[in-house]
Amino acid sequence: MQRENISDIIETYLKTILAQEAAVEIRRAEIARRFNCVPSQINYVIKTRFTPARGYIVESKRGGGGYIRIVKVKLTDDQDLIQIMRQHIPSRLRMRDARDLIQELFDNGLIARQSGNLMLAVMDHETLGIFDQGAEEHLRSRLFLAFLDRLRYER
């Protein structure tokens, strides 16, 4: 039997709450105690699995009464998703994040599987053939923004 990763367990726990409520407010230390892990593990889960690319907005307040609030974004139409993605595309886009964004477009019916696979192929490290990681990520970001603009104008 394969043991589930602690990050997967924490993600599932938070998504279960979000399935029942519009938002979840947590205290990092409390969740870390609950799952017997270090607080930085909670940061990792939130940073990598609750991103705008995956349809989440994360707000935080530091200090004694600090919290982390995770909100699942409910979009009214396709243009909202495209606009939110456009606003949150960093100037340097890692391939892993590009995959998540493309998956979100596919999951929301904005692109077909074939289009998503083409986008992945175009942005792949091997295709770009740039040995400077920063330059590669910058180009990937520009390509993704161009894809989003094309989707925005064709709809």
Side-chain angles (χ1 to χ4, degrees), residues 111-148:
I111 59 173
R113 181 177 306 277
Q114 182 179 18
S115 298
N117 287 333
L118 289 171
M119 291 169 73
L120 288 170
V122 166
M123 290 190 281
D124 187 73
H125 170 73
E126 298 299 321
T127 303
L128 296 177
I130 299 174
F131 297 103
D132 177 330
Q133 183 178 358
E136 177 183 314
E137 290 174 350
H138 181 71
L139 178 57
R140 187 175 294 117
S141 177
R142 292 184 62 210
L143 287 168
F144 195 81
L145 286 170
F147 288 137
L148 289 177

Side-chain angles (χ1 to χ4, degrees), residues 44-148:
Y44 170 78
V45 171
I46 291 170
K47 184 177 180 180
T48 60
R49 304 195 184 186
F50 294 91
T51 64
R54 293 183 175 188
Y56 297 94
I57 294 175
V58 177
E59 305 165 348
S60 63
K61 179 184 174 227
R62 296 189 177 269
Y67 62 85
I68 298 171
R69 179 181 297 134
I70 305 169
V71 180
K72 176 72 174 159
V73 179
K74 291 187 174 44
L75 304 169
T76 56
D77 64 25
D78 298 343
Q79 292 301 316
D80 286 347
L81 176 61
I82 293 169
Q83 189 59 30
I84 286 171
M85 281 188 175
R86 262 195 128 285
Q87 291 169 350
H88 290 91
I89 298 297
S91 61
R92 291 177 52 175
L93 183 62
R94 295 176 299 186
M95 190 61 203
R96 173 182 49 192
D97 296 329
R99 259 188 229 103
D100 289 345
L101 289 162
I102 292 167
Q103 185 66 48
E104 190 72 18
L105 290 170
F106 175 74
D107 291 347
N108 282 281
L110 285 158
I111 59 173
R113 181 177 306 277
Q114 182 179 18
S115 298
N117 287 333
L118 289 171
M119 291 169 73
L120 288 170
V122 166
M123 290 190 281
D124 187 73
H125 170 73
E126 298 299 321
T127 303
L128 296 177
I130 299 174
F131 297 103
D132 177 330
Q133 183 178 358
E136 177 183 314
E137 290 174 350
H138 181 71
L139 178 57
R140 187 175 294 117
S141 177
R142 292 184 62 210
L143 287 168
F144 195 81
L145 286 170
F147 288 137
L148 289 177

